[in-house]
Amino acid sequence: MKYISTRGNYGRVDSAEAIRLGMVPKGGLFVPEIVPELSLKEILSFKDFDYRQLAARILQEFLTDFTEEEIWQCVEAAYNAENFAAPDIAPLKKLDENTYILELWHGPTAAFKDMALQLMPHLLTRAIEKGDIDKEVVILVATSGDTGKAALEGFKDVDGVRIIVFYPEEGVSKIQEAQMVTTGGYNTEVVAVKGNFDDCQNSVKSVFGDRKFNQKINNNGFRFSSANSINWGRLVPQIIYYFKAYLDLVNRGEIEGGEEINVTVPTGNFGNILAGYYASRMGLPVKKFICASNENKILTDFINTGKYDLEREFRRTISPSMDILISSNLERFLFSVTGQDHKKINKWYAELRNNGKFVVDKTTAGEIAEIFSGRFATEGDTKETIKDIYEEYAYTIDPHTAVGVSAYRKYCKETKDLTKTVIDSTASPFKFGRAVLSALKGKKIGGDDFEVLRQLEAETGENAHRALSDLEERPVRHERACSSRDIRDEIRDILEIN
Ligand SMILES: *Cc1c(COP(=O)(O)O)cnc(C)c1O
């Protein structure tokens, strides 16, 4: 299995090299040249596998340059009881006759990024060992909150790798910030960047693309890599839980083997939903993906009109991990639905860079509409959904998950499509406790974040996720801050380069 660039500007590489590089050096993203296909019979033959066995089986399809043993070591180091507070890693909860919630937040940081970031650092260290690299790898991460902590947890104390996380000063919750700045590990650094997530992500991206700066870094014995969801090593682990959810439904007699399901994903950078799409391309029976956005509904508009248009106000919402206007992984999806037409990708992304928008052709728009449906939730919808679900089912959901549920409900109302649906739940409600409690009570909630956490525990009778309950006592270990323009200086300072 080889990997190619969405922009047609790089040679074919194996998966270890794609994971080492993170992003294609001249711009563009690595994608599998051919998505492996599994027959239904084969998929159903996995139904007695536990999460680790299933993970190893799926990874083996994509990481053909890794040995079975290497894959198994990575999987065992990631998906175990120490890291995940649920025995089956990603439990599927039945909400009602048609709706199932896939809880992806039982990992060490209480959000779904752990599903990939507990595994990815192990894949990366194996990938580094396979290459002849004499440089220390420096992982740069731009985070809207959850990725940062998940990456820090995944990489801390992993030898031969350093990690520097940049987060937008105004774009993350107090709890997210506390999680990051209290991280231990000898190889971790955290920097607050002035501005919003797009500013932060763009400046980190520009560092990757800055040849002169990279040369300087290389000369000093370092090499950059990324753990953002553009790294193939982040995407591939996310394919696993779509198979897990489907097989759970079959095993519990909720669906027949082979029956199509729908999948709803609260979406930001388009990584999670793209992994689901790859699962369907592999043969998993999925009828529709419902792409759920918050008020930053650029993807809803794109799916409905074929026009991707950045000219709009950036909004800060109670689902901050989805406050994103540039959904990086969309490029991979477009490459796939155009039959790997890198000319089109280059044209559209040049238009996006130059004019802030692009419009796909009718055929492509049709292909997209065939498999995707876009819906969005307003802030009001999101709060109402948290309250409704709590009142109807005594089940507490976080604002990101609520965006998904709200979008799904709109979809059902408009299409009358009653296909059984898995909704990805991407964060523990306690991670966004203030917004959740405020939605439940119908009023603003004062007090500090940790006080709110205890109030939410009292209100719901549930215990906060173990990753959050002892945060308050941990000492702050990181106090760096800079403007997005000064990121290079900050990196030099951290790596002690003149
Ligand atoms: C990252 C994140 C999302 C968005 O996922 P993408 O893969 O970026 O689309 C949604 N919810 C939460 C809680 C997240 O952390």
Side-chain angles (χ1 to χ4, degrees):
M1 159 81 62
K2 294 288 181 188
Y3 290 77
I4 55 175
S5 166
T6 49
R7 309 252 172 120
N9 56 357
Y10 206 74
R12 297 158 81 236
V13 299
D14 59 22
S15 75
E17 179 68 357
I19 291 169
R20 280 194 296 267
L21 287 171
M23 192 175 158
V24 179
K26 299 168 198 159
L29 303 173
F30 286 114
V31 288
E33 188 171 29
I34 299 164
V35 175
E37 282 179 42
L38 300 170
S39 68
L40 180 64
K41 195 166 155 225
E42 216 167 354
I43 293 171
L44 295 176
S45 77
F46 307 156
K47 73 187 177 47
D48 296 325
F49 285 5
D50 66 15
Y51 198 87
R52 284 191 289 243
Q53 290 169 311
L54 187 61
R57 184 62 188 81
I58 301 297
L59 293 173
Q60 174 197 319
E61 292 290 326
F62 287 97
L63 311 178
T64 49
D65 49 323
F66 284 61
T67 66
E68 219 168 289
E69 199 191 344
E70 285 170 332
I71 290 179
W72 190 247
Q73 286 167 350
C74 293
V75 164
E76 282 201 307
Y79 303 120
N80 57 49
E82 200 185 311
N83 294 334
F84 286 85
D88 68 343
I89 310 297
L92 187 69
K93 288 255 156 78
K94 181 169 182 169
L95 205 57
D96 60 32
E97 269 323 296
N98 291 320
T99 325
Y100 306 82
I101 305 280
L102 181 59
E103 293 181 351
L104 299 173
W105 43 260
H106 292 275
T109 76
F112 103 96
K113 305 277 191 305
D114 291 327
M115 299 302 299
L117 275 165
Q118 281 300 304
L119 183 71
M120 190 267 183
H122 301 288
L123 297 179
L124 183 68
T125 30
R126 293 298 182 293
I128 292 168
E129 284 162 16
K130 286 172 176 300
D132 50 344
I133 298 172
D134 54 353
K135 308 224 184 311
E136 190 176 359
V137 170
V138 180
I139 305 286
L140 301 181
V141 180
T143 182
S144 56
D146 294 329
T147 307
K149 178 60 176 177
L152 288 162
E153 281 302 314
F155 280 100
K156 80 171 181 215
D157 297 330
V158 175
D159 288 336
V161 190
R162 293 216 208 176
I163 175 163
I164 310 176
V165 168
F166 299 91
Y167 71 93
E169 203 160 44
E170 299 149 20
V172 302
S173 79
K174 271 279 157 284
I175 288 204
Q176 288 177 316
E177 186 171 38
Q179 281 188 305
M180 289 190 276
V181 299
T182 58
T183 308
Y186 69 87
N187 58 346
T188 59
E189 293 285 349
V190 179
V191 185
V193 180
K194 294 189 179 68
N196 66 34
F197 175 64
D198 283 325
D199 298 332
C200 183
Q201 172 161 269
N202 284 338
S203 42
V204 172
K205 269 191 186 164
S206 81
V207 169
F208 283 115
D210 182 339
R211 205 173 303 167
K212 238 171 99 187
F213 188 59
N214 276 268
Q215 197 57 53
K216 193 176 181 85
I217 293 295
N218 292 160
N219 292 344
N220 283 276
F222 298 103
R223 170 175 168 168
F224 288 138
S225 188
S226 130
N228 277 8
S229 61
I230 53 178
N231 189 312
W232 180 250
R234 274 286 301 282
L235 247 154
V236 68
Q238 300 187 0
I239 298 172
I240 301 159
Y241 48 75
Y242 289 99
F243 283 90
K244 155 80 166 58
Y246 188 87
L247 293 169
D248 275 352
L249 289 173
V250 174
N251 282 334
R252 295 188 209 161
E254 301 287 340
I255 58 169
E256 300 289 331
E259 188 176 329
E260 285 188 320
I261 60 166
N262 286 343
V263 171
T264 301
V265 185
T267 297
N269 229 345
F270 212 77
N272 199 3
I273 199 165
L274 179 74
Y277 170 73
Y278 279 130
S280 77
R281 289 278 313 274
M282 291 176 76
L284 197 73
V286 178
K287 185 164 121 194
K288 271 264 162 21
F289 288 96
I290 297 138
C291 176
S293 296
N294 63 25
E295 288 182 358
N296 295 294
K297 61 182 184 66
I298 191 163
L299 287 167
T300 311
D301 294 343
F302 175 65
I303 290 165
N304 292 330
T305 66
K307 181 176 180 188
Y308 197 86
D309 190 351
L310 285 174
E311 197 175 287
R312 61 185 67 222
E313 202 187 325
F314 175 83
R315 305 218 179 163
R316 287 172 57 190
T317 72
I318 57 170
S319 46
S321 302
M322 297 160 64
D323 290 346
I324 289 175
L325 294 182
I326 301 175
S327 297
S328 309
N329 273 302
L330 184 68
E331 180 170 338
R332 283 188 163 112
F333 173 63
L334 292 174
F335 186 68
S336 183
V337 288
T338 54
Q340 306 195 330
D341 188 337
H342 59 77
K343 291 207 181 81
K344 279 184 185 164
I345 302 299
N346 276 304
K347 177 170 166 282
W348 294 334
Y349 279 83
E351 284 168 12
L352 188 66
R353 222 173 20 254
N354 300 331
N355 314 322
K357 63 183 80 143
F358 64 83
V359 184
V360 298
D361 53 276
K362 279 232 162 57
T363 321
T364 304
E367 291 279 338
I368 295 171
E370 188 74 23
I371 178 122
F372 276 69
S373 191
R375 295 288 187 286
F376 77 100
T378 64
E379 291 289 90
D381 295 335
T382 308
K383 293 175 193 165
E384 202 179 291
T385 305
I386 293 171
K387 190 167 163 46
D388 285 354
I389 296 295
Y390 184 69
E391 284 171 0
E392 281 171 56
Y393 306 103
Y395 183 67
T396 320
I397 55 175
D398 96 291
H400 303 79
T401 308
V403 168
V405 174
S406 169
Y408 168 67
R409 290 187 155 185
K410 287 183 187 177
Y411 168 84
C412 288
K413 214 169 160 187
E414 286 161 30
T415 61
K416 308 278 186 290
D417 180 359
L418 293 177
T419 306
K420 302 214 164 169
T421 298
V422 169
I423 304 177
D424 283 0
S425 175
T426 52
S428 154
F430 289 95
K431 191 151 188 180
F432 300 92
R434 188 184 306 274
V436 172
L437 191 62
S438 158
L440 294 180
K441 298 267 205 193
K443 61 172 191 202
K444 258 198 137 74
I445 303 291
D448 79 25
D449 272 9
F450 297 102
E451 176 56 34
V452 171
L453 209 69
R454 287 186 288 272
Q455 281 179 38
L456 186 60
E457 284 184 317
E459 175 76 21
T460 61
E462 296 166 33
N463 289 326
H465 189 289
R466 66 189 189 190
L468 304 170
S469 38
D470 70 339
L471 252 188
E472 210 173 0
E473 282 86 58
R474 287 189 220 159
V476 170
R477 297 187 64 256
H478 305 277
E479 293 183 274
R480 286 178 181 272
C482 73
S483 76
S484 52
R485 239 177 299 126
D486 299 333
I487 275 191
R488 284 168 186 73
D489 292 339
E490 201 64 28
I491 295 171
R492 273 209 299 267
D493 191 49
I494 289 167
L495 300 178
E496 298 174 12
I497 295 172
N498 304 322

